[in-house]
Amino acid sequence: MAVASDVPKESFRLSMLIYDTRFRSLTIQVVVLILFALAVAWLLNNTVQNLAIRGKEFNYAFLWQRAGYDIQQQLIPYTNDSTHFRALLVGLLNTLAVAVVGCVLATILGIFVGVMRLSHNWLISRLMTVYVEVFRNVPVLLWILLAYVILSETTPEPRAFRVTDEMLAAGQAPAARMWLWDTVAVTNRGMNIPAPVFDRPLGTLALGPLTLNLTFLALLAVIAASVWVNRRLVAAARRQQEETGERPATWWKSLLILFVPAIALLAALGFHLETPALKGFNFQGGILVAHSFTALTVALTLYTAAFIAEIVRAGIMAISRGQTEAAYALGLRPGRTMRLVILPQALRVIVPPLISQYLNLTKNTSLGIAVSYLDLRGTLGGITLNQTGRELECMLLMMLIYLSISLIISGVMNIYNRSVQLKAR
């Protein structure tokens, strides 16, 4: 009986990199990678040589020079004696402020409009349709300019709030009044709102060019800890409901956990509000919210909400009608059916395109330069660029920052998307 011996292994030959399908794709990828690296190296070398011909060096030393310009709205301390890096941080925080507030408001408004578009009420559904079609078919830059013009041209001057002795004697009221129990003043220069003040703050911690506000960090830590404890409480109540069929009352415990620690910390820090008051030619005290910020936020919110509304509507319509009928058969009302049955399933369809809208809103904040809003585009890509003449460095750094912000938003939303996906058993 003959015994079959092992098949001899084929020796490797260089021709196999091209003619053998097992290695051909790898060969092509390596070649493309080498060509791409050579192209990038050629571009960088060409750029450095051209800068050298113009007497420039590629460096970021200018970031530590004196900025020499003012920024009206700032979330961290800043003066015109601060460095360009400090101005960059102020602009970045202004960008993030508009992006965060705009995304939250656009989501709330978009969900409301998207659900109302499916209403059986003919008038409501048509009004929502008109809103969507009007806002998404007009460039967002025009909405920003329109909102800014309305805010700056239709609001009174600060002197309209002045009350003179003659007016008091004649019983004459001023031409304009403050809102919300004389705590908010809206003028053609901006909106003055109460400012939080702490009599016993925890101070600051300097880490190089960065300064950490310990009072803000303490409040943030207390709020985060309260939310974490409340989530544990709700999870424990849910487990008890699944095991015994009875859910314990947790609402009063949640209120205590969420509010008592924060209120106690605020009382210990001596928290109170400083309301704005008319002194001289303008209001003093409080926080001045520039009309450029308000106009940019309102315009981006209304514009983006129109797209989010269509995404929400498409997500709801993707759910089978039988789900709604089954919920009605179990006795659920329309509101609870939408909140407990339809929307959780529609999130699988809504979240992926919603990420794109968040990215668009964040990048559209750069249009604030049209209304003199000094965000990242206005500081680093505007005044700093013009003063220092470092076009390439400023543009590359600005692109890197916007790319980082977009990747962080995408990463966070993808994590959320995976958490709401249906888990197969």
Side-chain angles (χ1 to χ4, degrees):
M1 181 177 180
V3 178
S5 59
D6 295 338
V7 177
K9 294 184 178 179
E10 185 181 6
S11 60
F12 179 77
R13 303 184 304 278
L14 290 178
S15 60
M16 296 172 66
L17 294 176
I18 299 176
Y19 298 108
D20 193 327
T21 56
R22 293 175 299 175
F23 303 103
R24 185 184 301 163
S25 62
L26 181 62
T27 303
I28 295 174
Q29 293 180 53
V30 171
V31 171
V32 171
L33 179 61
I34 293 174
L35 292 176
F36 178 75
L38 290 174
V40 172
W42 178 81
L43 285 174
L44 291 177
N45 182 60
N46 193 23
T47 303
V48 172
Q49 289 182 355
N50 287 331
L51 289 175
I53 293 174
R54 293 174 178 269
K56 293 183 178 180
E57 292 182 359
F58 186 85
N59 62 65
Y60 286 95
F62 67 93
L63 289 177
W64 312 112
Q65 299 174 359
R66 179 177 178 271
Y69 59 89
D70 295 321
I71 300 177
Q72 185 181 19
Q73 180 169 311
Q74 47 195 259
L75 299 178
I76 58 175
Y78 171 85
T79 65
N80 54 18
D81 289 328
S82 302
T83 62
H84 285 290
F85 181 76
R86 191 74 176 179
L88 182 156
L89 292 179
V90 174
L92 175 60
L93 290 176
N94 287 345
T95 295
L96 294 178
V98 175
V100 171
V101 175
C103 286
V104 172
L105 296 180
T107 303
I108 296 173
L109 181 61
I111 292 175
F112 175 78
V113 174
V115 173
M116 288 297 102
R117 277 205 73 182
L118 298 173
S119 172
H120 297 297
N121 187 306
W122 184 88
L123 180 60
I124 292 178
S125 63
R126 293 302 182 275
L127 286 176
M128 296 301 108
T129 302
V130 170
Y131 164 77
V132 170
E133 296 301 333
V134 168
F135 274 93
R136 73 174 181 175
N137 289 308
V138 176
V140 64
L141 178 60
L142 299 183
W143 289 119
I144 295 173
L145 294 174
L146 178 63
Y148 184 76
V149 169
I150 291 175
L151 288 172
S152 58
E153 297 295 333
T154 61
T155 49
E157 298 179 355
R159 63 181 180 182
F161 293 83
R162 189 180 306 281
V163 180
T164 61
D165 295 336
E166 292 78 8
M167 294 172 65
L168 290 175
Q172 185 178 358
R177 289 183 177 275
M178 298 177 68
W179 297 356
L180 299 176
W181 303 282
D182 292 339
T183 58
V184 177
V186 180
T187 70
N188 59 353
R189 300 180 182 180
M191 181 167 59
N192 297 81
I193 62 176
V197 178
F198 298 94
D199 294 333
R200 297 176 290 277
L202 298 180
T204 58
L205 177 63
L207 296 175
L210 302 177
T211 303
L212 300 180
N213 189 324
L214 298 180
T215 304
F216 174 75
L217 292 179
L219 281 172
L220 196 63
V222 168
I223 293 174
S226 299
V227 172
W228 181 77
V229 173
N230 183 61
R231 288 175 63 90
R232 297 292 301 270
L233 174 68
V234 173
R238 189 179 299 114
R239 283 197 302 271
Q240 182 176 346
Q241 183 182 14
E242 293 175 353
E243 293 172 356
T244 64
E246 295 182 359
R247 186 181 182 87
T250 59
W251 63 269
W252 62 273
K253 297 177 183 177
S254 296
L255 290 177
L256 291 177
I257 293 172
L258 291 176
F259 291 102
V260 170
I263 293 175
L265 179 60
L266 291 174
L269 295 174
F271 169 79
H272 65 276
L273 292 176
E274 180 190 49
T275 57
L278 184 62
K279 296 179 180 178
F281 297 100
N282 201 359
F283 280 91
Q284 304 294 329
I287 298 176
L288 174 62
V289 180
H291 282 328
S292 55
F293 170 83
T294 307
L296 184 62
T297 304
V298 170
L300 290 179
T301 297
L302 295 175
Y303 181 78
T304 308
F307 292 90
I308 294 178
E310 287 300 276
I311 294 172
V312 171
R313 187 172 69 94
I316 293 174
M317 294 182 69
I319 305 303
S320 171
R321 177 68 181 171
Q323 298 280 338
T324 304
E325 295 173 348
Y328 289 167
L330 292 174
L332 292 179
R333 295 179 178 275
R336 293 177 65 85
T337 300
M338 179 62 68
R339 183 163 50 89
L340 300 177
V341 179
I342 304 302
L343 279 181
Q345 299 182 75
L347 283 176
R348 293 173 298 163
V349 182
I350 292 173
V351 172
L354 191 63
I355 299 174
S356 299
Q357 294 306 318
Y358 287 167
L359 298 179
N360 287 338
L361 189 148
T362 303
K363 290 180 288 188
N364 284 337
T365 57
S366 61
L367 295 174
I369 193 70
V371 289
S372 302
Y373 181 67
L374 290 184
D375 62 343
L376 185 64
R377 171 69 179 85
T379 56
L380 178 63
I383 302 177
T384 296
L385 186 152
N386 292 329
Q387 285 188 355
T388 61
R390 297 287 181 175
E391 305 89 355
L392 185 61
E393 290 91 337
C394 290
M395 285 301 166
L396 288 178
L397 183 57
M398 194 165 54
M399 292 169 64
L400 179 63
I401 293 174
Y402 276 117
L403 176 64
S404 301
I405 296 173
S406 298
L407 291 178
I408 291 173
I409 293 175
S410 298
V412 172
M413 290 302 295
N414 283 327
I415 292 173
Y416 175 73
N417 188 32
R418 282 195 293 271
S419 69
V420 299
Q421 283 182 340
L422 292 180
K423 308 296 189 298
R425 296 182 178 177

